[in-house]
Structures are given as C-alpha cells and as structure tokens.
Amino acid sequence: DSSAPRGRHACVDTREPRSITDDRRLQPRRHVREPSHRPSRAQQVDAAEEKPSISRGASREMTARSLRRVQDADLRDKVVLVRVDHNCVKDGVIHDTFRVDQSIATLYNIVERGGRPILMTHVNRPFDKKRKQISCRDEDSVTAVVRYLQHKLGVVFAVPTFRVEPGRGILDVDTSVNWLIEDLKHRRVGGVYLPNTRWFEGEEGLAAADAVAARERFATQLAGLADVFVNDAFGSWQPHVSTFHVAKLLPSYAGLLMQKEVAALSALTEPRRPFLAVIAGSKLDTKMGCVEAIAQKADHVMLGGQLYNAYIAAKFGVTIAGVDPLDVEIAKTQLLVPEVERKLVPLSTVIESDTLDGCGCVPVAGKCGSGDGDRVRARRLADLKPGETTGYFLDVSAESFRDASVAEVIAGAKTIFVNAVMGFTPAGFHEGTAALDAAIASNVDARKYFGGGDTLQEFKSLSPGLYMTALECPSYYLFTGGGTVLKALELGGAMKLPCVEILAAADGEEPSRLEKPKCMALESCDCGPTPA
C-alpha cells in the first residue's frame, strides 16, 4: 500500500524520507580497506545471469577454519548486519523453530561482545514469475519470527516499515530507519529486524527494469546501515544481494552456525565409507544434477518420492499416475546408466492408491485402515508388467526396509545423509519415512546427517523421541538447509558456494588481532579468537 507509513517508531521523523544512497552518513564505511581478492567497485554487483567467480575455492581445499569468523571480529560498539535464514513461516505462522533456534548462538556472541545487531532474512517466494511482480503480503512478513525472538530472548526488536510500490515491492531503504538505528546504538531496543529481503526490488532484481542498478542500489543501502556484515544463513545459498553482494562492501564474517554447517558438510564431501545417501523430491528434472553428483560420491543411493517413481516407470516400462513423462525420459537416459544404477538401492514394495489423497485413512503395512475397499494397497515391483498403467505410488512400504539387501546396506554404512520424505505425508502416507528413520537409528556406528525443512519437520512429527535424541546425540547432525547441502555436493564442497567463498580469508590474511583470553583451557570449544 503506497499510503502506508514510511517509518514506525515512538519518535517519528516528519521530514520527507530520502533514499539511503542519498544520505552520506549511511554510505559504506570508506575507511574499511577491502582485502586484495575482492573485486573493484565496477565489479561489485554482477549481472543477474552471471555467477560469481569461485576460482580460489577451486584451487585449494578449504575448511571452516579458512573462513573469517565472527569470533575474530572486533564488534565493540559496532552495528552488525546479520543475514540469517529464518525462512520457516507459512501463512504467517512458524511451523518449526529449529532454524531460528540455531541462529541464537551467533546473536548472543555478537551482543555479548558489544555489537548491535540488525537482522534480515527472506521469507517464502513473494515474486510471481508469471506476472513478474512482487507481492508484499502479511503472510510473508517477518512478524511471526520477531514475536518468537522477543518471547525467546526477552528483548524488543524494532521492525521498520518502508514504502511499497505496487508490483515492485520496496524500492529503497529510506532514512526513517535512522531513528531505529539510534535506538539500537543507545540500547533502547535489542535489535532491528528488516522486512522480508525478497520484498525489496533490489534483492534479486527480478521485478526491476534495470536489475543490475537495482541490486547495486540495494547493496549500497544495506552496507550503509552497518559497520560489519555477518552471514549465518547457510540455508540461503543463492548469491542474492543480502547474502553475497553486501559482503563485498563491508568487513564480512561467517557466523557460528555457518561455520558449524560448513564443517559438517566436509564429512559428506570426504565421507567415512560406506557412504549411503537418501534423496527424494517431487521433480527429477530439478534434482538430476544433484543425484548424479551424489552417485559419484556415494557408495549407495536410495531414492524416494517422485524420483523413485520416475525410476520405476523407466525401469519396468509402466505408466504411473502423476509421474511426469519428462522425468521418465530423464530416468531412462541418466538413472539407468550402469555407473548410476549399480549404486541405487532397490526398494521392493510401494504403496499404490487409486486417488492422490488416498482414502482419508493412515495406511498401515500398505493396507487401507478405513475398511473402505481396496483403494490403497501394497504393490511389489516384481509383479509389475511392461505397458501396465498403475495408480499413484504414494509411499514406500515399511516391508522394503526389512529386505535383507536393504537392511544390510543401512546397517553397514558408516556415513548416512538423508534429504528425503519417502511418501506423500500430507495424505497420511508416512510409513516409509518412519521405517527409514527407525532403520537408520538402529545403525549406532554411523554418522547420520539429516537436512531439509520437510525432512526435519517429518522427522520431528513422526519420530519425536528420536528427533529429540538426534538434537543432542553426537552421531547425528541436523542441517538447517538441505537444498544447500545438495547444491554444495553438486558443486564439490561448501567453499564453492559463492556466499560461503566470499567469506574465506585471503592467503596470508591475519585471522585475529583480538587479545586472547587469559585462560585457554577450553580452547577446543572454539569459542574464542583463532589461535595464532
């Protein structure tokens, strides 16, 4: 609404707001010397289609220790712009607080060491690709996250309101935010939380007439708000302005969560073997690159969801309801090749349904629980006939995980990665997912890595006791961003993600100038400055 107030605060600036780019007080700090590896001013914002250079990441192996770490930064009396991944809101409600909770350690570290935080995250996808417009709806706001943080931390977060241009979103970070930053510096508020970054036209530049200019303008405005940038949004791997371009304009560091996720991912790029990867999804054409990359890395690959259905259709020559013919063709040419297929773990029994929503029951052992005929049933793949047309395959039967060959693969694995919901859980088809989780839990010797919002949400919903154990058990690791893990594995490592690579210390760069603690007895906890 263009008539919406341009700033919300107890003290209202009655002057006409100006763009941050017109306010010299809020320009990026010019006394900050950029490391030599950073691009020139002319190169600071790439074209929309252009991917950032990551040549240094390709030239040498990097670990979490190569990152500039937030604990190495001097934050005393500094305003710190923090990119988090709090994209856990659906229809204005937080469905799982895991991502928010995982970022709290970084926020505490910043505040405890004298920094004043300005937070930002994206929420959902407010850009309509067909209409090429941005919609700023209340359901996609950060309000639910702010309320949760205020309740969790007991502090007040100020949320500025900026003018919205219909169809284009927020064009500028105007100077009304100055009042909130003054309150932040004087500790009258605990933090500032910016609106959904994807409400800003410049974040992706998709709704802008000149995408490059819009991104450059937004990057400059964000950098003008703060002294330091911290990226803790591991789950947001796309090189947008709030995750990548702003890092070129401010001294930039990896948050504690980012460091932890990068270190954990190295266990998948250099796994203990045998390595089992479990992947599912709704479309094979969008996941095939990941599947191929993981098949090269893993010893065994288990597919679920529509990925497995496409493979079944290609392998057995059947037509399965709801499976895209394009996915079937991709499966024929890329999943049935020997180097990939020999690593696939066959799951012998699936759950077939006459309708996409089943019959309203929760199937048990592949059988309808409502007593309403034979609308849901278990089907053995060995019984499929070429040319047959089947109903919907909405789950993998728990019986499949009791097959000796499947049980042997799971029990013998030393590293297991799961980014999968095996069945169509909204309609009650979750016996396959629950059986998979239980089978994996029985392998006490393996390191187990789970990633993805849907994966963790179903893990928590179907096996709450096991989920709570996994939060604290050293043999489990729960990633905040499953898509990021898949992308990193496809590229060859976390440090090849542009948003991570830009946080890497330059060769020979001094990691920390902070005075070391008098007591280093707990140095292994990694809570202090990088040791010399």
Side-chain angles (χ1 to χ4, degrees):
D1 185 355
S2 60
S3 63
R6 304 190 184 185
R8 181 170 59 208
H9 191 254
C11 298
V12 179
D13 188 355
T14 58
R15 298 169 294 177
E16 181 67 18
R18 296 168 288 163
S19 162
I20 291 296
T21 53
D22 298 326
D23 191 338
R24 293 190 177 182
R25 291 174 299 168
L26 294 178
Q27 292 295 314
R29 274 59 177 175
R30 299 190 181 277
H31 66 271
V32 175
R33 183 173 61 84
E34 297 181 354
S36 58
H37 72 277
R38 292 185 179 176
S40 65
R41 288 276 175 180
Q43 298 170 316
Q44 283 169 353
V45 180
D46 301 307
E49 308 83 14
E50 190 177 347
K51 292 191 176 180
S53 170
I54 53 174
S55 59
R56 192 175 73 253
S59 64
R60 61 186 178 90
E61 183 67 18
M62 297 187 193
T63 66
R65 274 293 182 185
S66 302
L67 295 172
R68 295 189 208 93
R69 311 185 314 157
V70 64
Q71 55 268 49
D72 296 333
D74 182 2
L75 303 180
R76 184 182 297 276
D77 299 325
K78 301 287 181 62
V79 176
V80 183
L81 185 64
V82 189
R83 180 54 158 94
V84 290
D85 181 13
H86 290 170
N87 182 29
C88 54
V89 177
K90 294 182 180 179
D91 298 322
V93 178
I94 296 179
H95 283 247
D96 190 345
T97 63
F98 178 72
R99 291 186 179 188
V100 183
D101 294 338
Q102 291 297 298
S103 67
I104 287 178
T106 294
L107 302 183
Y108 178 84
N109 183 282
I110 290 170
V111 173
E112 189 274 334
R113 293 172 50 240
R116 309 303 298 145
I118 299 177
L119 276 62
M120 56 180 177
T121 186
H122 76 278
V123 178
N124 300 324
R125 295 183 176 92
F127 178 73
D128 187 322
K129 292 182 179 180
K130 293 182 179 179
R131 297 166 54 213
K132 297 189 181 303
Q133 293 184 345
I134 297 173
S135 300
C136 300
R137 306 181 307 148
D138 289 343
E139 293 86 349
D140 297 329
S141 75
V142 299
T143 301
V145 175
V146 170
R147 287 175 177 166
Y148 176 75
L149 281 174
Q150 291 184 154
H151 174 75
K152 185 86 172 178
L153 303 179
V155 299
V156 174
F157 281 83
V159 181
T161 301
F162 301 123
R163 180 185 179 92
V164 173
E165 186 71 24
R168 296 177 63 189
I170 301 172
L171 304 186
D172 289 305
V173 179
D174 65 50
T175 54
S176 63
V177 76
N178 288 353
W179 297 99
L180 302 185
I181 293 177
E182 284 301 307
D183 279 351
L184 180 68
K185 290 179 177 178
H186 289 88
R187 300 181 182 273
R188 291 189 284 265
V189 296
V192 173
Y193 210 126
L194 297 179
N196 183 349
T197 60
R198 290 186 179 173
W199 282 2
F200 290 87
E201 182 184 55
E203 170 72 338
E204 299 178 82
L206 298 176
D210 187 337
V212 174
R215 288 199 302 274
E216 183 175 24
R217 184 178 182 85
F218 185 42
T220 303
Q221 291 172 351
L222 286 180
L225 300 176
D227 304 287
V228 173
F229 173 65
V230 171
N231 191 348
D232 213 30
F234 176 80
S236 304
W237 64 266
Q238 298 92 337
H240 295 158
V241 167
S242 67
T243 57
F244 178 74
H245 297 294
V246 71
K248 302 174 182 178
L249 304 179
L250 289 171
S252 301
Y253 302 88
L256 299 178
L257 176 60
M258 176 71 81
Q259 297 168 40
K260 187 169 68 169
E261 303 274 69
V262 169
L265 217 160
S266 66
L268 299 181
T269 56
E270 298 295 334
R272 295 171 58 208
R273 297 192 180 278
F275 174 25
L276 167 64
V278 188
I279 315 166
S282 59
K283 290 287 292 178
L284 181 60
D285 65 340
T286 60
K287 286 282 183 74
M288 195 59 230
C290 297
V291 173
E292 287 182 317
I294 290 173
Q296 292 177 5
K297 181 69 66 175
D299 300 288
H300 306 284
V301 178
M302 192 178 294
L303 299 179
Q306 290 290 69
L307 305 190
Y308 193 48
N309 289 347
Y311 168 74
I312 294 171
K315 175 75 172 176
F316 295 92
V318 298
T319 299
I320 302 172
V323 176
D324 190 336
L326 174 61
D327 282 351
V328 178
E329 291 304 313
I330 293 173
K332 288 179 180 178
T333 59
Q334 299 183 60
L335 285 182
L336 296 184
V337 296
E339 58 267 25
V340 174
E341 189 177 18
R342 69 168 177 263
K343 294 189 176 183
L344 298 182
V345 180
L347 302 172
S348 62
T349 308
V350 297
I351 308 301
E352 182 182 16
S353 172
D354 293 338
T355 61
L356 191 58
D357 58 355
C359 61
C361 73
V362 176
V364 178
K367 297 180 180 180
C368 177
S370 66
D372 185 19
D374 190 31
R375 296 169 60 186
V376 177
R377 56 205 161 267
R379 288 291 303 272
R380 290 191 61 82
L381 300 187
D383 297 332
L384 294 176
K385 297 179 177 58
E388 179 182 354
T389 297
T390 74
Y392 296 92
F393 288 176
L394 298 183
D395 202 357
V396 173
S397 172
E399 178 184 338
S400 295
F401 298 99
R402 291 191 286 270
D403 286 351
S405 59
V406 176
E408 182 180 354
V409 167
I410 295 175
K414 294 299 183 183
T415 303
I416 302 174
F417 170 61
V418 181
N419 180 244
V421 177
M422 303 302 286
F424 188 52
T425 54
F429 292 88
H430 38 58
E431 73 167 84
T433 304
L436 171 68
D437 293 342
I440 290 173
S442 66
N443 182 341
V444 296
D445 295 325
R447 284 299 306 261
K448 299 169 275 283
Y449 300 84
F450 282 65
D454 291 339
T455 302
L456 295 184
Q457 191 168 332
E458 292 301 330
F459 188 26
K460 181 179 181 179
S461 175
L462 300 177
S463 309
L466 183 56
Y467 175 83
M468 295 303 294
T469 299
L471 289 175
E472 302 298 333
C473 179
S475 68
Y476 277 88
Y477 187 85
L478 308 183
F479 285 103
T480 57
T484 305
V485 176
L486 292 177
K487 190 64 180 179
L489 291 176
E490 181 179 353
L491 293 176
M495 297 304 297
K496 294 186 179 181
L497 296 168
C499 300
V500 179
E501 190 272 346
I502 199 169
L503 303 175
D507 292 332
E509 182 176 342
E510 181 68 27
S512 175
R513 296 180 181 176
L514 302 182
E515 184 178 350
K516 294 180 181 178
K518 296 291 189 296
C519 173
M520 294 297 288
L522 297 179
E523 181 183 5
S524 61
C525 73
D526 209 28
C527 58
T530 302

Coordinates of all heavy atoms in Angstrom, one line a residue, residues 8 67 81 88 109 136 170 183 229 239 243 246 259 265 283 334 351 360 370 438 448 475 488 490 497:
R8 N 8.1 3.4 11.5 CA 7.3 3.2 12.6 C 8.2 3.2 13.9 O 9.0 2.3 14.0 CB 6.6 1.8 12.5 CG 5.7 1.5 13.7 CD 4.8 0.3 13.4 NE 5.7 -0.9 13.1 CZ 5.3 -1.9 12.3 NH1 4.2 -1.9 11.7 NH2 6.1 -2.9 12.1
L67 N 37.5 -19.7 7.0 CA 36.5 -18.6 6.9 C 36.9 -17.5 7.9 O 37.6 -17.8 9.0 CB 35.1 -19.1 7.4 CG 34.5 -20.1 6.5 CD1 33.2 -20.7 7.1 CD2 34.1 -19.5 5.1
L81 N 25.3 -6.1 10.7 CA 24.2 -6.5 9.8 C 24.4 -8.1 9.7 O 25.4 -8.6 9.3 CB 24.4 -5.9 8.4 CG 23.3 -6.2 7.4 CD1 22.0 -5.6 7.8 CD2 23.7 -5.6 6.0
C88 N 11.0 -19.9 7.8 CA 10.3 -21.1 8.4 C 8.8 -20.7 8.7 O 8.1 -21.3 9.5 CB 10.9 -21.5 9.7 SG 11.2 -20.2 10.9
N109 N 26.6 -14.2 20.7 CA 28.0 -13.9 20.6 C 28.2 -12.4 20.2 O 29.1 -11.7 20.7 CB 28.7 -14.8 19.6 CG 30.2 -14.6 19.4 OD1 30.6 -13.7 18.7 ND2 30.9 -15.5 20.0
C136 N 3.8 -8.0 -1.4 CA 4.2 -7.9 0.0 C 3.0 -8.2 0.9 O 2.3 -7.3 1.3 CB 4.7 -6.5 0.3 SG 6.2 -6.0 -0.7
I170 N 9.5 -3.0 -2.2 CA 10.1 -1.9 -1.6 C 11.3 -1.4 -2.4 O 12.2 -2.2 -2.7 CB 10.6 -2.3 -0.2 CG1 9.4 -2.7 0.7 CG2 11.3 -1.1 0.5 CD1 9.8 -3.3 2.0
D183 N 18.2 4.2 18.3 CA 17.7 3.5 19.4 C 18.5 2.2 19.7 O 18.8 1.8 20.8 CB 16.2 3.1 19.2 CG 15.3 4.2 19.5 OD1 15.7 5.2 20.0 OD2 14.1 4.1 19.2
F229 N 29.4 -7.0 8.5 CA 28.4 -8.0 8.0 C 28.8 -9.4 8.4 O 29.9 -9.8 8.3 CB 28.4 -7.9 6.4 CG 27.5 -9.0 5.8 CD1 26.1 -9.0 6.0 CD2 28.0 -10.0 5.0 CE1 25.3 -9.9 5.4 CE2 27.2 -11.0 4.5 CZ 25.9 -10.9 4.7
P239 N 23.3 -16.5 -4.5 CA 24.0 -15.2 -4.4 C 23.2 -14.0 -4.6 O 23.3 -13.3 -5.7 CB 25.2 -15.4 -5.4 CG 24.6 -16.3 -6.5 CD 23.6 -17.2 -5.8
T243 N 22.9 -11.8 0.7 CA 23.8 -12.9 1.1 C 25.2 -12.8 0.5 O 26.1 -13.4 1.0 CB 23.2 -14.3 0.7 OG1 22.9 -14.3 -0.8 CG2 21.9 -14.6 1.4
V246 N 26.4 -7.6 -0.6 CA 26.7 -6.7 0.5 C 28.0 -7.1 1.2 O 28.7 -6.3 1.8 CB 25.5 -6.7 1.5 CG1 25.4 -8.0 2.3 CG2 25.7 -5.6 2.5
Q259 N 29.7 -21.6 10.3 CA 31.0 -22.3 10.5 C 30.7 -23.8 10.8 O 31.3 -24.7 10.2 CB 31.7 -21.7 11.6 CG 32.2 -20.3 11.4 CD 32.7 -19.7 12.7 OE1 33.4 -20.3 13.5 NE2 32.4 -18.4 12.9
L265 N 29.5 -30.3 6.6 CA 29.4 -30.7 5.2 C 30.7 -31.4 4.7 O 30.6 -32.2 3.8 CB 29.1 -29.5 4.4 CG 28.1 -29.7 3.2 CD1 27.5 -28.4 2.7 CD2 28.8 -30.4 2.0
K283 N 10.3 -33.6 -8.3 CA 10.6 -33.5 -9.7 C 12.1 -34.0 -9.9 O 13.0 -33.5 -9.3 CB 10.5 -32.0 -10.2 CG 9.1 -31.5 -10.3 CD 8.4 -32.1 -11.5 CE 8.9 -31.6 -12.8 NZ 8.2 -32.3 -13.9
Q334 N 19.5 -41.2 -17.7 CA 20.5 -40.8 -16.7 C 20.5 -41.7 -15.5 O 21.5 -41.7 -14.8 CB 20.3 -39.3 -16.4 CG 20.5 -38.4 -17.6 CD 20.4 -36.9 -17.2 OE1 21.2 -36.4 -16.4 NE2 19.5 -36.3 -17.8
I351 N 3.5 -48.4 -2.0 CA 2.1 -48.2 -1.7 C 1.3 -47.6 -2.8 O 1.7 -46.4 -3.2 CB 1.9 -47.4 -0.4 CG1 2.7 -48.0 0.7 CG2 0.4 -47.5 0.0 CD1 2.5 -49.5 1.1
G360 N -8.4 -41.2 2.9 CA -8.6 -40.5 4.2 C -8.1 -41.2 5.4 O -8.1 -40.7 6.5
S370 N -9.3 -47.9 6.7 CA -10.7 -47.4 6.9 C -11.7 -48.5 6.6 O -12.9 -48.4 6.9 CB -11.0 -46.3 6.0 OG -11.0 -46.7 4.6
A438 N 13.7 -45.2 11.5 CA 14.0 -46.2 12.5 C 15.2 -47.1 12.1 O 16.0 -47.5 12.9 CB 12.7 -47.1 12.8
K448 N 25.2 -39.8 11.1 CA 24.0 -39.6 10.4 C 23.7 -38.1 10.2 O 23.6 -37.3 11.2 CB 22.8 -40.3 11.1 CG 23.1 -41.8 11.3 CD 22.1 -42.5 12.2 CE 22.6 -42.4 13.7 NZ 23.7 -43.3 14.0
S475 N 26.2 -38.6 17.2 CA 26.2 -39.4 15.9 C 25.3 -38.8 14.9 O 25.2 -39.3 13.7 CB 25.9 -40.9 16.2 OG 24.5 -41.0 16.6
A488 N 25.9 -27.9 -2.6 CA 27.3 -28.0 -2.3 C 27.9 -29.3 -2.8 O 29.0 -29.3 -3.3 CB 27.5 -27.8 -0.8
E490 N 26.8 -31.0 -5.2 CA 26.8 -31.0 -6.7 C 28.0 -30.2 -7.2 O 28.7 -30.6 -8.2 CB 25.5 -30.3 -7.2 CG 25.4 -30.2 -8.7 CD 24.1 -29.6 -9.2 OE1 23.2 -29.3 -8.3 OE2 24.0 -29.3 -10.4
L497 N 30.3 -22.7 -2.8 CA 29.1 -21.8 -2.9 C 29.6 -20.4 -2.8 O 30.3 -20.0 -1.9 CB 28.2 -22.2 -1.7 CG 27.6 -23.6 -1.6 CD1 27.0 -23.9 -0.3 CD2 26.6 -23.8 -2.7

